[in-house]
PDB file of all heavy atoms in Angstrom:
ATOM      1  N   LYS A   1      49.958 200.767  60.597  1.00  0.00           N
ATOM      2  CA  LYS A   1      49.397 201.370  59.385  1.00  0.00           C
ATOM      3  C   LYS A   1      48.645 200.359  58.519  1.00  0.00           C
ATOM      4  O   LYS A   1      48.071 200.731  57.496  1.00  0.00           O
ATOM      5  CB  LYS A   1      50.506 202.025  58.561  1.00  0.00           C
ATOM      6  CG  LYS A   1      51.174 203.204  59.264  1.00  0.00           C
ATOM      7  CD  LYS A   1      52.250 203.819  58.391  1.00  0.00           C
ATOM      8  CE  LYS A   1      52.912 205.014  59.090  1.00  0.00           C
ATOM      9  NZ  LYS A   1      53.975 205.619  58.239  1.00  0.00           N
ATOM     10  N   GLY A   2      48.659 199.093  58.923  1.00  0.00           N
ATOM     11  CA  GLY A   2      47.918 198.086  58.176  1.00  0.00           C
ATOM     12  C   GLY A   2      48.769 196.935  57.696  1.00  0.00           C
ATOM     13  O   GLY A   2      49.952 196.817  58.038  1.00  0.00           O
ATOM     14  N   ILE A   3      48.148 196.083  56.884  1.00  0.00           N
ATOM     15  CA  ILE A   3      48.829 194.911  56.332  1.00  0.00           C
ATOM     16  C   ILE A   3      49.179 195.194  54.879  1.00  0.00           C
ATOM     17  O   ILE A   3      48.277 195.374  54.034  1.00  0.00           O
ATOM     18  CB  ILE A   3      47.926 193.665  56.402  1.00  0.00           C
ATOM     19  CG1 ILE A   3      47.542 193.368  57.858  1.00  0.00           C
ATOM     20  CG2 ILE A   3      48.619 192.456  55.764  1.00  0.00           C
ATOM     21  CD1 ILE A   3      46.547 192.222  58.010  1.00  0.00           C
ATOM     22  N   PRO A   4      50.450 195.263  54.524  1.00  0.00           N
ATOM     23  CA  PRO A   4      50.835 195.519  53.133  1.00  0.00           C
ATOM     24  C   PRO A   4      50.402 194.377  52.218  1.00  0.00           C
ATOM     25  O   PRO A   4      50.510 193.201  52.590  1.00  0.00           O
ATOM     26  CB  PRO A   4      52.364 195.612  53.191  1.00  0.00           C
ATOM     27  CG  PRO A   4      52.706 195.818  54.639  1.00  0.00           C
ATOM     28  CD  PRO A   4      51.624 195.136  55.409  1.00  0.00           C
ATOM     29  N   VAL A   5      49.895 194.740  51.037  1.00  0.00           N
ATOM     30  CA  VAL A   5      49.482 193.744  50.047  1.00  0.00           C
ATOM     31  C   VAL A   5      49.945 194.181  48.666  1.00  0.00           C
ATOM     32  O   VAL A   5      50.237 195.357  48.439  1.00  0.00           O
ATOM     33  CB  VAL A   5      47.945 193.544  50.033  1.00  0.00           C
ATOM     34  CG1 VAL A   5      47.450 192.959  51.344  1.00  0.00           C
ATOM     35  CG2 VAL A   5      47.230 194.862  49.730  1.00  0.00           C
ATOM     36  N   ASP A   6      49.981 193.217  47.740  1.00  0.00           N
ATOM     37  CA  ASP A   6      50.265 193.578  46.353  1.00  0.00           C
ATOM     38  C   ASP A   6      48.942 193.865  45.641  1.00  0.00           C
ATOM     39  O   ASP A   6      47.877 193.925  46.277  1.00  0.00           O
ATOM     40  CB  ASP A   6      51.063 192.472  45.647  1.00  0.00           C
ATOM     41  CG  ASP A   6      50.312 191.145  45.553  1.00  0.00           C
ATOM     42  OD1 ASP A   6      49.066 191.127  45.742  1.00  0.00           O
ATOM     43  OD2 ASP A   6      50.955 190.114  45.273  1.00  0.00           O
ATOM     44  N   ASP A   7      48.977 194.036  44.342  1.00  0.00           N
ATOM     45  CA  ASP A   7      47.765 194.408  43.605  1.00  0.00           C
ATOM     46  C   ASP A   7      46.743 193.282  43.530  1.00  0.00           C
ATOM     47  O   ASP A   7      45.598 193.511  43.124  1.00  0.00           O
ATOM     48  CB  ASP A   7      48.127 194.882  42.191  1.00  0.00           C
ATOM     49  CG  ASP A   7      48.805 196.235  42.201  1.00  0.00           C
ATOM     50  OD1 ASP A   7      48.666 196.964  43.215  1.00  0.00           O
ATOM     51  OD2 ASP A   7      49.478 196.586  41.208  1.00  0.00           O
ATOM     52  N   SER A   8      47.140 192.081  43.915  1.00  0.00           N
ATOM     53  CA  SER A   8      46.188 190.970  44.001  1.00  0.00           C
ATOM     54  C   SER A   8      45.629 190.824  45.406  1.00  0.00           C
ATOM     55  O   SER A   8      44.901 189.871  45.701  1.00  0.00           O
ATOM     56  CB  SER A   8      46.865 189.653  43.583  1.00  0.00           C
ATOM     57  OG  SER A   8      47.227 189.682  42.221  1.00  0.00           O
ATOM     58  N   MET A   9      45.975 191.755  46.287  1.00  0.00           N
ATOM     59  CA  MET A   9      45.574 191.764  47.697  1.00  0.00           C
ATOM     60  C   MET A   9      46.270 190.664  48.494  1.00  0.00           C
ATOM     61  O   MET A   9      45.868 190.315  49.591  1.00  0.00           O
ATOM     62  CB  MET A   9      44.041 191.642  47.875  1.00  0.00           C
ATOM     63  CG  MET A   9      43.267 192.670  47.098  1.00  0.00           C
ATOM     64  SD  MET A   9      43.755 194.362  47.497  1.00  0.00           S
ATOM     65  CE  MET A   9      43.841 195.097  45.863  1.00  0.00           C
ATOM     66  N   ARG A  10      47.362 190.149  47.945  1.00  0.00           N
ATOM     67  CA  ARG A  10      48.130 189.084  48.596  1.00  0.00           C
ATOM     68  C   ARG A  10      49.147 189.696  49.558  1.00  0.00           C
ATOM     69  O   ARG A  10      49.826 190.671  49.230  1.00  0.00           O
ATOM     70  CB  ARG A  10      48.848 188.241  47.542  1.00  0.00           C
ATOM     71  CG  ARG A  10      49.567 187.019  48.090  1.00  0.00           C
ATOM     72  CD  ARG A  10      50.271 186.248  46.980  1.00  0.00           C
ATOM     73  NE  ARG A  10      49.343 185.413  46.235  1.00  0.00           N
ATOM     74  CZ  ARG A  10      49.006 185.623  44.961  1.00  0.00           C
ATOM     75  NH1 ARG A  10      49.481 186.683  44.306  1.00  0.00           N
ATOM     76  NH2 ARG A  10      48.180 184.808  44.349  1.00  0.00           N
ATOM     77  N   THR A  11      49.227 189.135  50.768  1.00  0.00           N
ATOM     78  CA  THR A  11      50.231 189.574  51.733  1.00  0.00           C
ATOM     79  C   THR A  11      51.576 188.963  51.367  1.00  0.00           C
ATOM     80  O   THR A  11      51.726 188.341  50.310  1.00  0.00           O
ATOM     81  CB  THR A  11      49.839 189.137  53.157  1.00  0.00           C
ATOM     82  OG1 THR A  11      49.940 187.703  53.251  1.00  0.00           O
ATOM     83  CG2 THR A  11      48.416 189.579  53.493  1.00  0.00           C
ATOM     84  N   ASN A  12      52.559 189.080  52.264  1.00  0.00           N
ATOM     85  CA  ASN A  12      53.856 188.454  52.013  1.00  0.00           C
ATOM     86  C   ASN A  12      53.785 186.938  52.091  1.00  0.00           C
ATOM     87  O   ASN A  12      54.714 186.239  51.680  1.00  0.00           O
ATOM     88  CB  ASN A  12      54.899 188.968  53.012  1.00  0.00           C
ATOM     89  CG  ASN A  12      54.552 188.611  54.444  1.00  0.00           C
ATOM     90  OD1 ASN A  12      53.508 189.025  54.955  1.00  0.00           O
ATOM     91  ND2 ASN A  12      55.429 187.860  55.105  1.00  0.00           N
ATOM     92  N   VAL A  13      52.676 186.413  52.626  1.00  0.00           N
ATOM     93  CA  VAL A  13      52.462 184.959  52.663  1.00  0.00           C
ATOM     94  C   VAL A  13      51.565 184.587  51.491  1.00  0.00           C
ATOM     95  O   VAL A  13      50.448 185.110  51.351  1.00  0.00           O
ATOM     96  CB  VAL A  13      51.815 184.520  53.995  1.00  0.00           C
ATOM     97  CG1 VAL A  13      51.588 183.009  54.003  1.00  0.00           C
ATOM     98  CG2 VAL A  13      52.695 184.938  55.167  1.00  0.00           C
ATOM     99  N   GLU A  14      52.023 183.696  50.648  1.00  0.00           N
ATOM    100  CA  GLU A  14      51.423 183.418  49.340  1.00  0.00           C
ATOM    101  C   GLU A  14      49.917 183.208  49.357  1.00  0.00           C
ATOM    102  O   GLU A  14      49.198 183.713  48.503  1.00  0.00           O
ATOM    103  CB  GLU A  14      52.102 182.185  48.723  1.00  0.00           C
ATOM    104  CG  GLU A  14      51.631 181.822  47.324  1.00  0.00           C
ATOM    105  CD  GLU A  14      52.118 182.788  46.251  1.00  0.00           C
ATOM    106  OE1 GLU A  14      53.045 183.566  46.528  1.00  0.00           O
ATOM    107  OE2 GLU A  14      51.558 182.770  45.133  1.00  0.00           O
ATOM    108  N   HIS A  15      49.402 182.478  50.326  1.00  0.00           N
ATOM    109  CA  HIS A  15      47.986 182.103  50.304  1.00  0.00           C
ATOM    110  C   HIS A  15      47.140 182.923  51.290  1.00  0.00           C
ATOM    111  O   HIS A  15      45.992 182.563  51.559  1.00  0.00           O
ATOM    112  CB  HIS A  15      47.844 180.609  50.635  1.00  0.00           C
ATOM    113  CG  HIS A  15      48.396 180.263  51.989  1.00  0.00           C
ATOM    114  ND1 HIS A  15      49.724 180.026  52.212  1.00  0.00           N
ATOM    115  CD2 HIS A  15      47.791 180.142  53.197  1.00  0.00           C
ATOM    116  CE1 HIS A  15      49.925 179.762  53.481  1.00  0.00           C
ATOM    117  NE2 HIS A  15      48.762 179.832  54.113  1.00  0.00           N
ATOM    118  N   ILE A  16      47.704 183.996  51.827  1.00  0.00           N
ATOM    119  CA  ILE A  16      46.961 184.846  52.761  1.00  0.00           C
ATOM    120  C   ILE A  16      46.778 186.227  52.145  1.00  0.00           C
ATOM    121  O   ILE A  16      47.744 186.848  51.680  1.00  0.00           O
ATOM    122  CB  ILE A  16      47.673 184.955  54.127  1.00  0.00           C
ATOM    123  CG1 ILE A  16      47.809 183.570  54.766  1.00  0.00           C
ATOM    124  CG2 ILE A  16      46.913 185.888  55.058  1.00  0.00           C
ATOM    125  CD1 ILE A  16      48.539 183.573  56.099  1.00  0.00           C
ATOM    126  N   TYR A  17      45.541 186.691  52.158  1.00  0.00           N
ATOM    127  CA  TYR A  17      45.187 187.965  51.530  1.00  0.00           C
ATOM    128  C   TYR A  17      44.605 188.910  52.581  1.00  0.00           C
ATOM    129  O   TYR A  17      44.109 188.478  53.624  1.00  0.00           O
ATOM    130  CB  TYR A  17      44.157 187.732  50.421  1.00  0.00           C
ATOM    131  CG  TYR A  17      44.634 186.802  49.330  1.00  0.00           C
ATOM    132  CD1 TYR A  17      44.668 185.422  49.527  1.00  0.00           C
ATOM    133  CD2 TYR A  17      45.057 187.295  48.097  1.00  0.00           C
ATOM    134  CE1 TYR A  17      45.117 184.560  48.532  1.00  0.00           C
ATOM    135  CE2 TYR A  17      45.508 186.444  47.097  1.00  0.00           C
ATOM    136  CZ  TYR A  17      45.536 185.085  47.321  1.00  0.00           C
ATOM    137  OH  TYR A  17      45.992 184.239  46.329  1.00  0.00           O
ATOM    138  N   ALA A  18      44.659 190.206  52.305  1.00  0.00           N
ATOM    139  CA  ALA A  18      44.060 191.205  53.197  1.00  0.00           C
ATOM    140  C   ALA A  18      43.293 192.214  52.347  1.00  0.00           C
ATOM    141  O   ALA A  18      43.840 192.760  51.379  1.00  0.00           O
ATOM    142  CB  ALA A  18      45.126 191.911  54.025  1.00  0.00           C
ATOM    143  N   ILE A  19      42.025 192.414  52.682  1.00  0.00           N
ATOM    144  CA  ILE A  19      41.173 193.302  51.892  1.00  0.00           C
ATOM    145  C   ILE A  19      40.508 194.350  52.783  1.00  0.00           C
ATOM    146  O   ILE A  19      40.341 194.167  53.985  1.00  0.00           O
ATOM    147  CB  ILE A  19      40.091 192.506  51.132  1.00  0.00           C
ATOM    148  CG1 ILE A  19      39.126 191.832  52.123  1.00  0.00           C
ATOM    149  CG2 ILE A  19      40.725 191.484  50.193  1.00  0.00           C
ATOM    150  CD1 ILE A  19      37.907 191.185  51.462  1.00  0.00           C
ATOM    151  N   GLY A  20      40.119 195.447  52.171  1.00  0.00           N
ATOM    152  CA  GLY A  20      39.374 196.471  52.885  1.00  0.00           C
ATOM    153  C   GLY A  20      40.252 197.353  53.762  1.00  0.00           C
ATOM    154  O   GLY A  20      41.460 197.508  53.542  1.00  0.00           O
ATOM    155  N   ASP A  21      39.640 197.919  54.795  1.00  0.00           N
ATOM    156  CA  ASP A  21      40.329 198.894  55.639  1.00  0.00           C
ATOM    157  C   ASP A  21      41.611 198.362  56.252  1.00  0.00           C
ATOM    158  O   ASP A  21      42.536 199.126  56.520  1.00  0.00           O
ATOM    159  CB  ASP A  21      39.405 199.351  56.775  1.00  0.00           C
ATOM    160  CG  ASP A  21      38.289 200.261  56.300  1.00  0.00           C
ATOM    161  OD1 ASP A  21      38.136 200.431  55.070  1.00  0.00           O
ATOM    162  OD2 ASP A  21      37.558 200.798  57.150  1.00  0.00           O
ATOM    163  N   VAL A  22      41.685 197.055  56.498  1.00  0.00           N
ATOM    164  CA  VAL A  22      42.847 196.496  57.180  1.00  0.00           C
ATOM    165  C   VAL A  22      44.113 196.620  56.346  1.00  0.00           C
ATOM    166  O   VAL A  22      45.227 196.626  56.887  1.00  0.00           O
ATOM    167  CB  VAL A  22      42.598 195.029  57.603  1.00  0.00           C
ATOM    168  CG1 VAL A  22      42.684 194.083  56.404  1.00  0.00           C
ATOM    169  CG2 VAL A  22      43.559 194.602  58.706  1.00  0.00           C
ATOM    170  N   ASN A  23      43.994 196.741  55.021  1.00  0.00           N
ATOM    171  CA  ASN A  23      45.202 196.969  54.219  1.00  0.00           C
ATOM    172  C   ASN A  23      45.443 198.456  53.958  1.00  0.00           C
ATOM    173  O   ASN A  23      46.475 198.838  53.410  1.00  0.00           O
ATOM    174  CB  ASN A  23      45.197 196.156  52.911  1.00  0.00           C
ATOM    175  CG  ASN A  23      44.177 196.643  51.889  1.00  0.00           C
ATOM    176  OD1 ASN A  23      43.830 197.822  51.800  1.00  0.00           O
ATOM    177  ND2 ASN A  23      43.692 195.716  51.056  1.00  0.00           N
ATOM    178  N   ALA A  24      44.468 199.283  54.341  1.00  0.00           N
ATOM    179  CA  ALA A  24      44.607 200.753  54.335  1.00  0.00           C
ATOM    180  C   ALA A  24      44.874 201.356  52.961  1.00  0.00           C
ATOM    181  O   ALA A  24      45.297 202.500  52.872  1.00  0.00           O
ATOM    182  CB  ALA A  24      45.695 201.185  55.322  1.00  0.00           C
ATOM    183  N   ARG A  25      44.607 200.594  51.913  1.00  0.00           N
ATOM    184  CA  ARG A  25      44.814 201.174  50.579  1.00  0.00           C
ATOM    185  C   ARG A  25      43.774 202.246  50.272  1.00  0.00           C
ATOM    186  O   ARG A  25      44.101 203.303  49.746  1.00  0.00           O
ATOM    187  CB  ARG A  25      44.756 200.073  49.512  1.00  0.00           C
ATOM    188  CG  ARG A  25      46.011 199.228  49.432  1.00  0.00           C
ATOM    189  CD  ARG A  25      46.070 198.438  48.140  1.00  0.00           C
ATOM    190  NE  ARG A  25      47.439 198.024  47.848  1.00  0.00           N
ATOM    191  CZ  ARG A  25      47.855 197.632  46.653  1.00  0.00           C
ATOM    192  NH1 ARG A  25      47.018 197.624  45.628  1.00  0.00           N
ATOM    193  NH2 ARG A  25      49.103 197.277  46.468  1.00  0.00           N
ATOM    194  N   MET A  26      42.530 201.959  50.560  1.00  0.00           N
ATOM    195  CA  MET A  26      41.447 202.916  50.359  1.00  0.00           C
ATOM    196  C   MET A  26      40.295 202.491  51.248  1.00  0.00           C
ATOM    197  O   MET A  26      39.679 201.461  51.020  1.00  0.00           O
ATOM    198  CB  MET A  26      41.013 202.958  48.883  1.00  0.00           C
ATOM    199  CG  MET A  26      40.079 204.111  48.555  1.00  0.00           C
ATOM    200  SD  MET A  26      39.654 204.202  46.791  1.00  0.00           S
ATOM    201  CE  MET A  26      41.239 204.647  46.083  1.00  0.00           C
ATOM    202  N   MET A  27      39.997 203.292  52.261  1.00  0.00           N
ATOM    203  CA  MET A  27      39.030 202.876  53.273  1.00  0.00           C
ATOM    204  C   MET A  27      37.600 203.220  52.869  1.00  0.00           C
ATOM    205  O   MET A  27      37.006 204.183  53.368  1.00  0.00           O
ATOM    206  CB  MET A  27      39.399 203.484  54.627  1.00  0.00           C
ATOM    207  CG  MET A  27      40.665 202.896  55.216  1.00  0.00           C
ATOM    208  SD  MET A  27      40.990 203.538  56.872  1.00  0.00           S
ATOM    209  CE  MET A  27      42.303 202.461  57.424  1.00  0.00           C
ATOM    210  N   LEU A  28      37.062 202.420  51.968  1.00  0.00           N
ATOM    211  CA  LEU A  28      35.682 202.555  51.511  1.00  0.00           C
ATOM    212  C   LEU A  28      35.065 201.167  51.435  1.00  0.00           C
ATOM    213  O   LEU A  28      35.713 200.214  50.974  1.00  0.00           O
ATOM    214  CB  LEU A  28      35.617 203.223  50.139  1.00  0.00           C
ATOM    215  CG  LEU A  28      36.044 204.696  50.061  1.00  0.00           C
ATOM    216  CD1 LEU A  28      36.194 205.127  48.614  1.00  0.00           C
ATOM    217  CD2 LEU A  28      35.050 205.586  50.789  1.00  0.00           C
ATOM    218  N   ALA A  29      33.813 201.044  51.851  1.00  0.00           N
ATOM    219  CA  ALA A  29      33.161 199.734  51.897  1.00  0.00           C
ATOM    220  C   ALA A  29      33.118 199.071  50.527  1.00  0.00           C
ATOM    221  O   ALA A  29      33.381 197.867  50.395  1.00  0.00           O
ATOM    222  CB  ALA A  29      31.743 199.881  52.455  1.00  0.00           C
ATOM    223  N   HIS A  30      32.782 199.864  49.498  1.00  0.00           N
ATOM    224  CA  HIS A  30      32.669 199.265  48.168  1.00  0.00           C
ATOM    225  C   HIS A  30      34.028 198.842  47.621  1.00  0.00           C
ATOM    226  O   HIS A  30      34.124 197.896  46.837  1.00  0.00           O
ATOM    227  CB  HIS A  30      31.950 200.196  47.184  1.00  0.00           C
ATOM    228  CG  HIS A  30      32.357 201.631  47.238  1.00  0.00           C
ATOM    229  ND1 HIS A  30      32.094 202.437  48.312  1.00  0.00           N
ATOM    230  CD2 HIS A  30      32.979 202.424  46.328  1.00  0.00           C
ATOM    231  CE1 HIS A  30      32.526 203.664  48.064  1.00  0.00           C
ATOM    232  NE2 HIS A  30      33.084 203.674  46.880  1.00  0.00           N
ATOM    233  N   VAL A  31      35.082 199.508  48.045  1.00  0.00           N
ATOM    234  CA  VAL A  31      36.426 199.084  47.645  1.00  0.00           C
ATOM    235  C   VAL A  31      36.766 197.749  48.302  1.00  0.00           C
ATOM    236  O   VAL A  31      37.346 196.865  47.667  1.00  0.00           O
ATOM    237  CB  VAL A  31      37.464 200.158  48.017  1.00  0.00           C
ATOM    238  CG1 VAL A  31      38.883 199.634  47.802  1.00  0.00           C
ATOM    239  CG2 VAL A  31      37.246 201.420  47.180  1.00  0.00           C
ATOM    240  N   ALA A  32      36.395 197.586  49.562  1.00  0.00           N
ATOM    241  CA  ALA A  32      36.642 196.320  50.249  1.00  0.00           C
ATOM    242  C   ALA A  32      36.010 195.155  49.498  1.00  0.00           C
ATOM    243  O   ALA A  32      36.623 194.096  49.327  1.00  0.00           O
ATOM    244  CB  ALA A  32      36.092 196.388  51.675  1.00  0.00           C
ATOM    245  N   THR A  33      34.771 195.355  49.043  1.00  0.00           N
ATOM    246  CA  THR A  33      34.076 194.296  48.303  1.00  0.00           C
ATOM    247  C   THR A  33      34.836 193.912  47.046  1.00  0.00           C
ATOM    248  O   THR A  33      35.063 192.717  46.770  1.00  0.00           O
ATOM    249  CB  THR A  33      32.658 194.762  47.939  1.00  0.00           C
ATOM    250  OG1 THR A  33      31.914 194.969  49.143  1.00  0.00           O
ATOM    251  CG2 THR A  33      31.948 193.733  47.077  1.00  0.00           C
ATOM    252  N   PHE A  34      35.260 194.903  46.280  1.00  0.00           N
ATOM    253  CA  PHE A  34      35.935 194.601  45.015  1.00  0.00           C
ATOM    254  C   PHE A  34      37.365 194.120  45.225  1.00  0.00           C
ATOM    255  O   PHE A  34      37.890 193.365  44.402  1.00  0.00           O
ATOM    256  CB  PHE A  34      35.861 195.803  44.078  1.00  0.00           C
ATOM    257  CG  PHE A  34      34.544 195.876  43.349  1.00  0.00           C
ATOM    258  CD1 PHE A  34      33.444 196.455  43.950  1.00  0.00           C
ATOM    259  CD2 PHE A  34      34.390 195.307  42.093  1.00  0.00           C
ATOM    260  CE1 PHE A  34      32.219 196.488  43.310  1.00  0.00           C
ATOM    261  CE2 PHE A  34      33.172 195.341  41.441  1.00  0.00           C
ATOM    262  CZ  PHE A  34      32.081 195.928  42.053  1.00  0.00           C
ATOM    263  N   GLN A  35      38.001 194.519  46.316  1.00  0.00           N
ATOM    264  CA  GLN A  35      39.290 193.916  46.648  1.00  0.00           C
ATOM    265  C   GLN A  35      39.103 192.432  46.962  1.00  0.00           C
ATOM    266  O   GLN A  35      39.970 191.615  46.648  1.00  0.00           O
ATOM    267  CB  GLN A  35      39.923 194.640  47.837  1.00  0.00           C
ATOM    268  CG  GLN A  35      40.463 196.019  47.501  1.00  0.00           C
ATOM    269  CD  GLN A  35      41.134 196.683  48.683  1.00  0.00           C
ATOM    270  OE1 GLN A  35      41.053 196.197  49.814  1.00  0.00           O
ATOM    271  NE2 GLN A  35      41.799 197.804  48.443  1.00  0.00           N
ATOM    272  N   GLY A  36      37.968 192.101  47.565  1.00  0.00           N
ATOM    273  CA  GLY A  36      37.657 190.696  47.814  1.00  0.00           C
ATOM    274  C   GLY A  36      37.511 189.920  46.518  1.00  0.00           C
ATOM    275  O   GLY A  36      38.006 188.785  46.391  1.00  0.00           O
ATOM    276  N   TYR A  37      36.829 190.528  45.551  1.00  0.00           N
ATOM    277  CA  TYR A  37      36.691 189.874  44.244  1.00  0.00           C
ATOM    278  C   TYR A  37      38.062 189.698  43.588  1.00  0.00           C
ATOM    279  O   TYR A  37      38.337 188.662  42.972  1.00  0.00           O
ATOM    280  CB  TYR A  37      35.796 190.702  43.322  1.00  0.00           C
ATOM    281  CG  TYR A  37      34.366 190.870  43.800  1.00  0.00           C
ATOM    282  CD1 TYR A  37      33.577 191.915  43.315  1.00  0.00           C
ATOM    283  CD2 TYR A  37      33.806 190.006  44.733  1.00  0.00           C
ATOM    284  CE1 TYR A  37      32.260 192.077  43.746  1.00  0.00           C
ATOM    285  CE2 TYR A  37      32.502 190.170  45.171  1.00  0.00           C
ATOM    286  CZ  TYR A  37      31.730 191.214  44.672  1.00  0.00           C
ATOM    287  OH  TYR A  37      30.443 191.382  45.096  1.00  0.00           O
ATOM    288  N   ARG A  38      38.926 190.701  43.728  1.00  0.00           N
ATOM    289  CA  ARG A  38      40.268 190.591  43.158  1.00  0.00           C
ATOM    290  C   ARG A  38      41.037 189.441  43.816  1.00  0.00           C
ATOM    291  O   ARG A  38      41.724 188.666  43.125  1.00  0.00           O
ATOM    292  CB  ARG A  38      41.002 191.921  43.361  1.00  0.00           C
ATOM    293  CG  ARG A  38      42.503 191.921  43.037  1.00  0.00           C
ATOM    294  CD  ARG A  38      42.831 191.619  41.579  1.00  0.00           C
ATOM    295  NE  ARG A  38      42.286 192.577  40.655  1.00  0.00           N
ATOM    296  CZ  ARG A  38      42.836 193.779  40.364  1.00  0.00           C
ATOM    297  NH1 ARG A  38      43.948 194.151  40.955  1.00  0.00           N
ATOM    298  NH2 ARG A  38      42.271 194.564  39.473  1.00  0.00           N
ATOM    299  N   ALA A  39      40.914 189.308  45.142  1.00  0.00           N
ATOM    300  CA  ALA A  39      41.593 188.216  45.843  1.00  0.00           C
ATOM    301  C   ALA A  39      41.083 186.855  45.369  1.00  0.00           C
ATOM    302  O   ALA A  39      41.874 185.929  45.138  1.00  0.00           O
ATOM    303  CB  ALA A  39      41.399 188.357  47.353  1.00  0.00           C
ATOM    304  N   LEU A  40      39.759 186.741  45.208  1.00  0.00           N
ATOM    305  CA  LEU A  40      39.198 185.478  44.715  1.00  0.00           C
ATOM    306  C   LEU A  40      39.698 185.168  43.308  1.00  0.00           C
ATOM    307  O   LEU A  40      39.984 184.006  42.987  1.00  0.00           O
ATOM    308  CB  LEU A  40      37.672 185.541  44.721  1.00  0.00           C
ATOM    309  CG  LEU A  40      36.989 185.560  46.091  1.00  0.00           C
ATOM    310  CD1 LEU A  40      35.474 185.613  45.913  1.00  0.00           C
ATOM    311  CD2 LEU A  40      37.379 184.343  46.924  1.00  0.00           C
ATOM    312  N   ASN A  41      39.801 186.185  42.480  1.00  0.00           N
ATOM    313  CA  ASN A  41      40.317 185.977  41.123  1.00  0.00           C
ATOM    314  C   ASN A  41      41.771 185.515  41.166  1.00  0.00           C
ATOM    315  O   ASN A  41      42.191 184.659  40.381  1.00  0.00           O
ATOM    316  CB  ASN A  41      40.191 187.259  40.308  1.00  0.00           C
ATOM    317  CG  ASN A  41      38.754 187.560  39.915  1.00  0.00           C
ATOM    318  OD1 ASN A  41      37.935 186.647  39.810  1.00  0.00           O
ATOM    319  ND2 ASN A  41      38.433 188.824  39.722  1.00  0.00           N
ATOM    320  N   ALA A  42      42.548 186.085  42.085  1.00  0.00           N
ATOM    321  CA  ALA A  42      43.948 185.669  42.227  1.00  0.00           C
ATOM    322  C   ALA A  42      44.026 184.213  42.682  1.00  0.00           C
ATOM    323  O   ALA A  42      44.855 183.437  42.182  1.00  0.00           O
ATOM    324  CB  ALA A  42      44.661 186.579  43.229  1.00  0.00           C
ATOM    325  N   ILE A  43      43.164 183.822  43.605  1.00  0.00           N
ATOM    326  CA  ILE A  43      43.126 182.439  44.074  1.00  0.00           C
ATOM    327  C   ILE A  43      42.790 181.494  42.925  1.00  0.00           C
ATOM    328  O   ILE A  43      43.356 180.402  42.802  1.00  0.00           O
ATOM    329  CB  ILE A  43      42.106 182.288  45.222  1.00  0.00           C
ATOM    330  CG1 ILE A  43      42.620 183.005  46.479  1.00  0.00           C
ATOM    331  CG2 ILE A  43      41.819 180.815  45.519  1.00  0.00           C
ATOM    332  CD1 ILE A  43      41.593 183.133  47.579  1.00  0.00           C
ATOM    333  N   ALA A  44      41.869 181.936  42.067  1.00  0.00           N
ATOM    334  CA  ALA A  44      41.443 181.106  40.931  1.00  0.00           C
ATOM    335  C   ALA A  44      42.390 181.209  39.740  1.00  0.00           C
ATOM    336  O   ALA A  44      42.208 180.498  38.747  1.00  0.00           O
ATOM    337  CB  ALA A  44      40.036 181.508  40.507  1.00  0.00           C
ATOM    338  N   GLY A  45      43.370 182.107  39.821  1.00  0.00           N
ATOM    339  CA  GLY A  45      44.309 182.286  38.710  1.00  0.00           C
ATOM    340  C   GLY A  45      43.699 183.018  37.537  1.00  0.00           C
ATOM    341  O   GLY A  45      44.126 182.821  36.390  1.00  0.00           O
TER     342      GLY A  45
END
């Protein structure tokens, strides 16, 4: 069913993130892009 992530798109491993269809939260291209931005923001704190 995919890779579970929290709201920062972080997996159970602290420095590994999953975005877009692979996390199955919402399978839309534009959502994948903004999940990527969220992950980058989490990396930057």
Side-chain angles (χ1 to χ4, degrees):
K1 295 181 179 180
I3 300 175
V5 295
D6 63 16
D7 289 340
S8 295
M9 306 304 136
R10 186 181 281 112
T11 69
N12 63 299
V13 179
E14 183 72 15
H15 60 277
I16 300 178
Y17 301 77
I19 65 172
D21 288 7
V22 76
N23 70 31
R25 283 196 160 198
M26 191 177 292
M27 291 185 169
L28 293 168
H30 43 293
V31 171
T33 296
F34 278 84
Q35 287 182 351
Y37 297 159
R38 170 63 61 81
L40 291 180
N41 287 334
I43 290 170

